[in-house]
Amino acid sequence: MTSPLAPDSLGPTICAGEILVEIVATAVGDGFRDAIDLVGPYPSGAPAIFIDQCARIGGSAAMIGAVGDDDFGRVNLDRLARDGADISAVAVDPDYPTGSAFVRYREDGSRDFVFNIAHSAAARFGWSAPVEALAARAGHLHVMGSALSMPSASEVIARAAGVVKARGGTVSVDPNLRKELAQDAATARRFSELVEMADLLLPSGEELEHAAGVAGEEAAIAVLFARGVREIALKRGRDGATVFVPGAAPAHAPAFVVEEVDPTGAGDCFGGAYVACRRLGMEVAEALTYACAAGARNVTHRGPMEGAGTRAELDAFIAATPRAGA
């Protein structure tokens, strides 16, 4: 089945948004009100994780954002550059520190986050000459919903979407809704506008219905197709993932069976692999297998970007790892 996404040869996949370090509590529990052991810093931020996996699997990928002139910033820049991502449009802010996220896991697998985004370099970038130059040669824009809570990022994303679409490029959207981040009326409006522009949607669970504005999976898919979305890759966690395309039977891939160490970043790695593979010309089934493998492999490593795999690493993982129900 022909990919709805612009080919990789048109230009890199770009993503704009938060670049953070993540500090992880080693003990399971509720919040951060007591002194506990922590590990990190790990390079993080949903857009950065996505771009890193996109580059690692062989797609052309570039990041837009900002870090502080500090070691936390260098942790991120070094990792992205090492893994093949273009960082020419990542600003280094001399006045504000790199953003951060502290995370602790609860007994039920849910997470508590403490973010410093609004008062960090992560929220202080705009439409600059390097950003304009990158957007002018980009073939695809990927949007993370978490970035829309930052006015500066939201404005860059909206402008980049117009530039990329005008040159024949495409757009994908991962709702990536976080309860800890602001979700005001302006954010909701911008999210709806971007869904209208999306060629590919990558929701998790209830995000599908949120994006469509209706209840029920079947009804939501119908609404989104009517609004112009050309492909939906629905992430189902331990139940695998399903791709829906108008006029075709759904394609489902079972999850890989792994021992989970750290689930943060799994959906971002899934998206980075899926978008890159579809832009590289892979059929849905092959791209979906790589995407499920990327998400599963990532959860076996502590740190949200540490398990992002190359194509060779994912091939080895696929060969060695059982699938649910097999």
Side-chain angles (χ1 to χ4, degrees):
M1 187 177 298
T2 303
S3 172
L5 306 185
D8 199 69
S9 58
L10 182 64
T13 295
I14 62 174
C15 195
E18 66 276 16
I19 304 175
L20 316 171
V21 290
E22 191 158 305
I23 314 294
V24 183
T26 59
V28 172
D30 296 339
F32 295 92
R33 300 184 67 177
D34 297 309
I36 51 176
D37 290 335
L38 303 163
V39 292
Y42 296 112
S44 187
I49 300 166
F50 169 91
I51 283 296
D52 190 79
Q53 178 60 84
C54 187
R56 294 263 303 159
I57 203 171
S60 178
M63 184 66 199
I64 300 170
V67 298
D69 185 14
D70 52 36
D71 282 350
F72 287 174
R74 285 181 277 277
V75 163
N76 279 283
L77 294 179
D78 290 349
R79 173 62 60 83
L80 290 168
R82 185 201 76 184
D83 289 349
D86 180 341
I87 57 172
S88 61
V90 178
V92 177
D93 193 311
D95 300 317
Y96 286 85
T98 299
S100 61
F102 288 75
V103 60
R104 190 178 192 190
Y105 293 92
R106 293 174 177 262
E107 291 285 355
D108 64 1
S110 63
R111 296 168 289 178
D112 288 315
F113 284 98
V114 176
F115 287 108
N116 176 27
I117 297 177
H119 302 289
S120 75
R124 285 171 170 77
F125 67 93
W127 192 264
S128 62
V131 171
E132 184 170 15
L134 177 59
R137 59 184 177 83
H140 183 81
L141 170 69
H142 180 71
V143 179
M144 282 288 185
S146 58
L148 299 179
S149 64
M150 302 185 297
S152 59
S154 185
E155 292 168 9
V156 168
I157 289 167
R159 190 165 175 180
V163 172
V164 170
K165 280 281 192 176
R167 67 184 305 265
T170 46
V171 172
S172 55
V173 175
D174 183 335
N176 195 38
L177 305 174
R178 295 280 177 84
K179 63 182 175 61
E180 295 89 356
L181 301 178
Q183 299 288 333
D184 58 16
T187 301
R189 183 172 61 253
R190 180 61 54 81
F191 174 73
S192 181
E193 292 168 353
L194 287 163
V195 170
E196 293 285 347
M197 299 179 70
D199 299 279
L200 168 67
L201 193 69
L202 298 119
S204 296
E206 295 177 356
E207 292 175 347
L208 174 71
E209 297 175 29
H210 175 83
V214 298
E217 182 175 296
E218 186 175 343
I221 291 167
V223 166
L224 290 166
F225 284 161
R227 291 170 65 182
V229 176
R230 300 161 67 191
E231 189 164 301
I232 299 169
L234 178 61
K235 295 168 283 184
R236 302 183 187 274
R238 290 183 174 84
D239 293 323
T242 309
V243 171
F244 302 91
V245 178
H252 181 74
F256 288 89
V257 180
V258 296
E259 184 175 344
E260 183 178 280
V261 174
D262 184 352
T264 303
D268 309 324
C269 284
F270 176 101
Y274 191 79
V275 168
C277 288
R278 290 296 271 153
R279 293 199 68 210
L280 289 166
M282 291 186 194
E283 294 290 333
V284 166
E286 185 177 16
L288 189 55
T289 296
Y290 274 117
C292 287
R297 185 179 188 273
N298 197 57
V299 308
T300 65
H301 293 68
R302 189 183 297 279
M305 201 184 290
E306 303 310 297
T310 64
R311 186 165 178 181
E313 288 170 338
L314 293 174
D315 283 336
F317 177 87
I318 290 166
T321 311
R323 309 290 290 268

